Amino acid sequence: MYFMKKFYRQYHWKLTLTIKKSKVGSPFELCVFIDLPNANSLTPKSSPNFAGLVLIFAHGNAALYAKYLSQPDAVVNGSVNLTTCMQRLDINLNLNDLNNLNNSGLKPEQITIVVALSNGTGIDLEDDGLVIANYWVFDEGPGHNHDYVNWTQKYIENIYKARTKSVPGVN
C-alpha cells in the first residue's frame, strides 16, 4: 500500500474572495486554477491545475431571490488554499523572508478564476458579483505548533477587483 509522505510546510498560500451573493440569483461556483490561463467553465476539476473552489448557494426561487435583492450589498467570503496545488505542480513553496516575496514561486498572474452556474455555463467575472480576490501567504513559523491565531499573514497582491463602486467594509 502506498502512503503519501506528509511534508511540513511553514508557508501556506491562500486566495481570499468576497462575492455579492445576490448578483447572479442562482447557485454558482468560483473555481481557481494555477498555471492554466485558458481555464474555463468546462475545464475539469480533476485537472492537476485545479486549486479549489468557493460555492455560492444563492436562491433561484423568485420569492426568495427578492429577499436577497433587498440587500444588494450583502457579501459572502470564501477562500481557497493554493498550497496543495502548488505542491502538486512543483511550484516553490519556500521563502527566504516573508517580507521579501520576490522569490515566491507563484506569481499572481498564474492564478485564474473561472465562474460557472451549476449547469456548467460560464459567467464573466464582471457579471458574477465577485468584489475582490486577494492573494496571501501565511507563515506558520518554525515551531509548527498549529497556533493559527499567531500565524503571520502577508498580503501579496490583488488578483481581481470589481470596477463598480466598493462595498462597505471591503478594501
Side-chain angles (χ1 to χ4, degrees):
M1 183 180 276
Y2 174 77
F3 291 97
M4 183 182 211
K5 184 176 180 180
K6 188 172 181 177
F7 293 99
Y8 161 67
R9 297 286 177 210
Q10 180 174 342
Y11 298 102
H12 302 268
W13 308 85
K14 186 184 283 190
L15 187 67
T16 59
L17 303 115
T18 299
I19 306 110
K20 284 187 179 183
K21 187 172 182 173
S22 64
K23 180 79 175 190
V24 174
S26 65
F28 63 100
E29 59 189 21
L30 295 99
C31 297
V32 178
F33 293 89
I34 295 175
D35 253 355
L36 198 62
N38 296 324
N40 60 46
S41 63
L42 301 176
T43 304
K45 293 177 185 80
S46 60
S47 166
N49 302 76
F50 175 70
L53 60 86
V54 173
L55 291 169
I56 305 300
F57 296 106
H59 291 284
N61 176 296
L64 292 173
Y65 183 55
K67 173 185 169 189
Y68 289 105
L69 286 177
S70 69
Q71 302 168 345
D73 289 333
V75 296
V76 292
N77 297 298
S79 66
V80 173
N81 187 332
L82 307 172
T83 311
T84 302
C85 185
M86 290 170 64
Q87 185 176 3
R88 186 171 46 246
L89 297 175
D90 200 27
I91 296 173
N92 181 19
L93 293 168
N94 299 309
L95 288 174
N96 295 330
D97 178 7
L98 189 61
N99 294 315
N100 180 8
L101 298 171
N102 291 332
N103 68 337
S104 166
L106 181 64
K107 304 298 180 208
E109 59 271 11
Q110 291 175 271
I111 300 171
T112 303
I113 302 170
V114 175
V115 185
L117 296 173
S118 57
N119 67 6
T121 303
I123 302 175
D124 188 84
L125 282 176
E126 292 296 320
D127 298 328
D128 74 336
L130 180 59
V131 176
I132 195 164
N134 288 320
Y135 178 32
W136 298 82
V137 62
F138 292 80
D139 181 357
E140 187 174 339
H144 186 57
N145 60 8
H146 298 290
D147 183 8
Y148 307 108
V149 174
N150 292 317
W151 283 14
T152 304
Q153 65 183 20
K154 180 80 173 183
Y155 170 78
I156 297 176
E157 190 171 316
N158 174 263
I159 301 297
Y160 176 84
K161 186 167 186 173
R163 288 184 255 175
T164 58
K165 68 177 184 171
S166 64
V167 176
V170 176
N171 296 333

